[in-house]
Amino acid sequence: MSLCEKKENRNVGTYLEQAVVAIINHEPIVNNTDCEFSTEVVEKINSDAQKIAESLGGTNASYIGNQTKNTNGDIIVDGKIIELKYVSCGKGTYLNTTMDYFYTELGFPSYREYMKEEILPWLSQFFGDKVYKNLSPVSKEESSIFQKTDNYEILKQMDKKARAKYVTDLYNLFVANPEKLGKFISDCITKKVAGKEAPDILVVYDYSINKMTIIDKKHIQDLVKNKTFRKTSLGFVFDGFRVQISWQNGTALNNPTIRVFIK
């Protein structure tokens, strides 16, 4: 069952988070999003929210998901910060932050330098020299339009090659400088890389198979004690998590990111 269109995924998450809060506080569940869910979908989310609320327990809850830039989770239950992931497979994205971290924190060349060889000159024929000014060559709106053209497939192939080289060079940096690898691992797991902290509890609910996974802060923090490390074509795999070097709003167009996934 599809809960809502992909573009409305955040509304599904918001509804679930607020439903959990309402249930814990013994209040009626209200849909405060701008997505009109079917009766079937509402019943499904409410049922899942009930299971999550019962697992968390607690007597007092509040919603903080609308303050994502300044908070470390989605809701607070009896003083504990809870991050909720409502997914159809896997465990969702633990962390999503700017790729510029490698430049500002580790002194590694900006990905923009890798784009200058082929990608940016090619993009300039469509958008002009402004593509050279920022890490994101174009705006989110311009990216959305360009993704609908035949040229987008050409761009994706260019970026795949450039990004693979970038990841390989990063891997070599980490192998040669274990202290930088350690800093990167720690910054990702603690979320310091995004100016945040790990939540007290991470709840992942896979609604496609009705499976709930609850991960406490100690388990998350223990991931820093990583022992193995290998490279994939566009990222890295560690003991209990993996990292993908990707784009948020259109490949090679807008918002290059570091994404962390807990296994």
Side-chain angles (χ1 to χ4, degrees):
M1 177 179 66
S2 177
L3 289 179
C4 205
E5 293 182 16
K6 184 177 180 181
K7 65 181 180 180
E8 300 291 358
N9 279 349
R10 60 187 174 84
N11 285 325
V12 171
T14 297
Y15 180 92
L16 174 83
E17 292 154 13
Q18 294 183 351
V20 172
V21 169
I23 292 168
I24 291 175
N25 291 336
H26 301 288
E27 298 170 346
I29 299 173
V30 178
N31 181 6
N32 294 313
T33 76
D34 55 9
C35 183
E36 295 184 7
F37 305 110
S38 68
T39 300
E40 180 186 16
V41 168
V42 167
E43 290 176 352
K44 167 63 175 170
I45 301 177
N46 287 355
S47 173
D48 294 342
Q50 181 70 44
K51 296 171 186 174
I52 294 172
E54 290 174 357
S55 295
L56 290 174
T59 58
N60 183 269
S62 58
Y63 173 66
I64 57 173
N66 56 348
Q67 308 168 39
T68 53
K69 289 185 177 180
N70 304 311
T71 58
N72 302 313
D74 301 302
I75 66 175
I76 297 177
V77 178
D78 290 353
K80 291 187 176 181
I81 297 177
I82 316 294
E83 182 173 352
L84 297 178
K85 299 290 184 184
Y86 198 46
V87 300
S88 59
C89 64
K91 292 189 174 71
T93 306
Y94 172 70
L95 176 70
N96 191 341
T97 193
T98 176
M99 199 192 297
D100 221 23
Y101 164 87
F102 297 118
Y103 173 69
T104 60
E105 297 296 322
L106 301 183
F108 189 74
S110 168
Y111 184 59
R112 183 167 47 190
E113 298 302 314
Y114 288 72
M115 298 178 75
K116 284 181 178 178
E117 182 174 335
E118 183 178 17
I119 296 172
L120 296 183
W122 187 81
L123 272 178
S124 67
Q125 68 180 306
F126 305 102
F127 299 101
D129 290 342
K130 72 174 184 178
V131 299
Y132 291 96
K133 293 182 179 180
N134 302 302
L135 188 56
S136 291
V138 303
S139 68
K140 186 176 179 180
E141 293 71 26
E142 290 169 323
S143 171
S144 180
I145 294 171
F146 194 82
Q147 289 177 58
K148 297 179 176 68
T149 70
D150 293 338
N151 288 314
Y152 185 49
E153 291 302 318
I154 299 173
L155 178 62
K156 287 196 294 185
Q157 291 306 311
M158 288 182 186
D159 176 76
K160 186 176 181 180
K161 181 173 67 174
R163 204 158 15 119
K165 185 178 187 309
Y166 180 78
V167 169
T168 296
D169 291 348
L170 261 177
Y171 175 77
N172 292 334
L173 171 79
F174 287 144
V175 170
N177 300 273
E179 74 285 356
K180 291 191 175 183
L181 174 62
K183 173 177 171 55
F184 175 57
I185 292 173
S186 177
D187 286 353
C188 284
I189 296 306
T190 62
K191 292 197 175 185
K192 182 180 178 181
V193 63
K196 296 185 178 184
E197 296 180 5
D200 294 312
I201 298 174
L202 172 62
V203 178
V204 182
Y205 193 97
D206 186 332
Y207 59 77
S208 65
I209 57 175
N210 293 317
K211 178 182 178 181
M212 179 165 36
T213 303
I214 297 179
I215 305 172
D216 63 24
K217 192 168 188 174
K218 183 181 184 305
H219 177 84
I220 294 173
Q221 291 174 330
D222 282 347
L223 294 176
V224 173
K225 304 172 185 178
N226 183 77
K227 298 292 192 301
T228 63
F229 164 56
R230 65 181 175 85
K231 183 181 77 69
T232 61
S233 59
L234 298 175
F236 310 103
V237 175
F238 300 89
D239 287 345
F241 68 100
R242 65 182 178 88
V243 174
Q244 194 76 8
I245 308 301
S246 186
W247 289 82
Q248 182 74 14
N249 304 312
T251 300
L253 293 169
N254 186 267
N255 197 7
T257 61
I258 301 169
R259 295 181 185 177
V260 179
F261 304 88
I262 292 179
K263 296 180 183 177

